[in-house]
Amino acid sequence: MAVTRVFGARIKRREDPRLITGTATYTDDIVIPGMCYTVIVRSPYAHARIKRIDVERARKHPGVVAAFTGKDLEGKVNPIPCAWLIPGSDLKTPPHPALAVDRVRYVGEGVAVVVATSRHAAADAASLVEVEVEPLPAVVNQEKAMQPGAPQIHDGVPNNVAFHWKVSSGDVGRAFQEADVVIRQRMVNHRLIPNAMEPRSCVAAYNRGSGDLTIWMTSQNPHIHRVLLSGILGIPEHRLRIIAPEVGGGFGSKIPCYADEAVVAFCAMQTGHPVKWGEDRRENYLATAHGRDHIVDLEVAAKKDGTITAIRGTCYANLGAYLSTAAPGVPTILHGLMMCGPYTIPNIDYEVYGIFTNTTPVDAYRGAGRPEATYYVERLVDMVARKLNMDPVEVRRKNFIPKDKFPYTVATGITYDSGDYEASLETLLRIIDYPNFRKEQEKAWKEGRYLGIGFSTYVEICGLGPSQVAGAVGFQGALWESALVRVHPTGKVTVLTGASPHGQGEETTFAQIVSEELGIPIEDIEVLHGDTEMIPMGWGTYGSRTTAVGGAALFVACRRIVEKGKKLAAHLLEASEQDILFEGGRFFVKGAPDRAKTIQEVALQAYLAWNLPAGFEPALEATAFYDPPNFTYPFGAHACIVEVDPETGTVKIRRYVAVDDCGRVVNPLIVDGQVHGGLAQGIGQALYEYAYYDDFGQLLTGSMSDYAVPKASQLPPFETARTETPSPHHPLGLKGVGETGTIASTPAVANAVVDALQPLGIHHIDIPLTPPRVLAAIRQAQGR
């Protein structure tokens, strides 16, 4: 694609040809001679005491190589750890066995595993495993789980409370006493199930001679998986290799270290055979981490001019049956600290109870804590506007952090690096022609049509780092990122990144950054990732950090290449190093641009080493480890226009406009794609998706027949625009964009529906806004 400037160009993703032609290699495509297959036998009970597991019939089935129970793993496979230990929260971390031993605690928990020479033999043998249990009472609702007499899921965890975390600042009590308006509202942010195109999969191969174990797996962070699995399996880290081939989507669900991958690795080590395992979609719904699931009691205090003075709330976060890898950090650090939104709210008092239930464990799902916070804050802002009979736009303007106040430390203690919230909102209002819409709405109401508009002005914390902060909030790792840039003798470039992109497009955007910095054509640059034996240590892809942190490491490495190249170019051109300039892939002498060497010529001489300056090391490559000084804080303003059918409760989105500010943009085409995908998921939560358990702990939405993933036909054409406020501490001014659409869209849709139903006096409806739920609210308001 012909472009005049690489950084900022709308270049099509270089990854896509192999992905859309079926020539990419996913984990399930891995085939190794002598490979066997596993099936994990899972509990159909949400809570039960295991009395007996008999695998003898399964072991005798034709084609079966081995069968194991939890007792076979005891002393050989350590419990699955939690990697985010929130300090000051009385956190309790009960053991999570790779296979259940004495009790099962949710439907889908593994109790045994069968290894066979074919998938069919493994599945048939798994059906022969005899499991005798004593069913126990189950509890799936987090509030009920806290009550006296509720079933206790773990010993040593009274009332099933895993942690109690608080953030408080200012004089909240006084703010509420002096408020002109106080609004109280309970909100539910329901449970969601990630629906990556590729379910989780794993292949493990063990070399008994060398003691090396290689695991191909669907991972968003291979090095983190290597560290954790090393401890679980008792294998030295340098003997364990994790490879993430193509990963067909993650959305946070492929961050955690699951029991299943450890079980597969154990099977490979015990049998000496390479072993493959892969979920089907039903298994994926039961065994892969879920997201969200909050019940929150909220209060907001405001003055009659619309100034919001305080927010107070108690959040009950459902953690499922065990602490997943990052579970404690999602409803606390990534959620509670964002409860001020983009506003100058001076007083905050927010507490979170993390609660065990007999459900699938909960962990990060696209946005991870920030969509929940944005939903609560943006709904409260609209409620304040409604109570005061003010325009919701004016209430937002009244409370925005002013542009000239950045960096700004909010009441929860974090410091936003930059922002111009008014600019994104004004851009949005121009696009939608807001005054004209309100006239159209008045006319529609008079005609008996329920037309509404909802706004969401959000800010998010992403670009996850810095490492010192990560350690201070209990994350058991670092958040710097690595990059190695190698210019080959012929001037071609290989980039090795510790990030692990899986659909975000960094094979393109990282090549664009290198091309811009080194002046090398983008087609001459390859980007490699996902193999712990090949790439430097890195911390993976999540929290919109890949380009924000990994891209910064890449930039630093490129600058080091240029500095090294200047030394050699100065020697070759017989000039002073201070007189050498670099631009467009050429080193040249200041004031004499014809005296020049291309970077390709310099690279060749660096490898030939025939004529190097004293002390100059051969080759031309550089490694950088970038630890950001702060998080980044993208922001934006979204608007959703809906029409509600009062006879059916159906919500039709007529228009959706997103104005986002993610700092400087490497590739607008990829940014738009990220926003579009996020919007689909956020709208899905607002209107369709809902993971539902019955009182016995059975997942009633356990397939795509029951769990309503939105179809393309249910989504409107998305209109996107941007403002640009570069991050002041990032070397390229980048911020991150992978989660913005999900964070902003759910409250925009919810606010639009409630706005449409204003004439009926409806103030709040919990999401998802399904036709039966909306219709019930309409009929209740009408007295029917």
Side-chain angles (χ1 to χ4, degrees), residues 746-771:
T746 305
V749 174
N751 284 338
V753 172
V754 175
D755 183 66
L757 300 176
Q758 269 195 72
L760 299 176
I762 293 173
H763 293 271
H764 181 72
I765 310 173
D766 274 322
I767 51 176
L769 299 167
T770 59

Side-chain angles (χ1 to χ4, degrees), residues 90-366:
D90 192 23
L91 177 67
K92 298 175 178 65
T93 57
H96 178 186
L99 291 174
V101 177
D102 299 315
R103 266 201 289 173
V104 292
R105 294 176 170 86
Y106 68 97
V107 173
E109 182 171 6
V111 297
V113 61
V114 175
V115 184
T117 54
S118 72
R119 293 182 194 266
H120 298 298
D124 290 343
S127 69
L128 300 176
V129 175
E130 298 176 8
V131 183
E132 183 182 345
V133 301
E134 175 191 344
L136 299 172
V139 60
V140 300
N141 176 279
Q142 54 264 53
E143 283 190 300
K144 291 180 180 179
M146 295 176 68
Q147 300 305 311
Q152 292 301 290
I153 296 164
H154 296 282
D155 296 335
V157 186
N159 301 317
N160 298 311
V161 176
F163 63 81
H164 180 207
W165 177 88
K166 293 182 178 181
V167 60
S168 184
S169 180
D171 193 337
V172 176
R174 182 177 179 182
F176 275 91
Q177 288 175 357
E178 296 178 353
D180 298 319
V181 171
V182 174
I183 298 170
R184 296 177 178 86
Q185 181 65 53
R186 165 164 283 209
M187 299 187 199
V188 176
N189 205 290
H190 55 284
R191 180 179 288 237
L192 300 176
I193 299 175
N195 273 272
M197 285 191 293
E198 178 196 25
R200 284 187 299 125
S201 185
C202 174
V203 175
Y206 184 62
N207 186 323
R208 286 177 169 170
S210 65
D212 292 337
L213 175 65
T214 301
I215 303 176
W216 292 261
M217 62 185 294
T218 46
S219 172
Q220 295 182 221
N221 29 244
H223 279 102
I224 291 180
H225 277 121
R226 185 176 71 171
V227 170
L228 294 177
L229 285 167
S230 171
I232 294 168
L233 298 169
I235 291 182
E237 192 178 356
H238 69 291
R239 294 295 183 194
L240 180 56
R241 179 182 184 184
I242 305 294
I243 303 173
E246 301 290 357
V247 177
F251 312 123
S253 70
K254 292 168 184 172
I255 296 170
C257 186
Y258 292 91
D260 304 324
E261 287 83 349
V263 170
V264 174
F266 170 82
C267 291
M269 295 167 67
Q270 291 295 308
T271 65
H273 289 278
V275 175
K276 176 183 285 188
W277 166 80
E279 297 177 313
D280 60 23
R281 187 62 65 179
R282 170 68 175 170
E283 191 175 19
N284 173 253
Y285 272 36
L286 291 174
T288 293
H290 293 176
R292 315 282 194 259
D293 205 344
H294 292 185
I295 300 171
V296 186
D297 292 315
L298 290 158
E299 297 177 274
V300 60
K303 295 295 186 180
K304 59 186 177 183
D305 66 352
T307 301
I308 298 174
T309 56
I311 287 178
R312 184 162 55 197
T314 301
C315 173
Y316 304 97
N318 193 334
L319 302 174
Y322 296 100
L323 289 180
S324 186
T325 304
V330 173
T332 54
I333 306 306
L334 296 178
H335 167 68
L337 295 185
M338 294 306 297
M339 282 299 294
C340 291
Y343 308 113
T344 57
I345 302 171
N347 305 291
I348 189 85
D349 186 8
Y350 197 72
E351 59 181 340
V352 179
Y353 289 91
I355 304 157
F356 289 119
T357 64
N358 294 116
T359 61
T360 299
V362 173
D363 208 309
Y365 176 64
R366 196 171 189 170

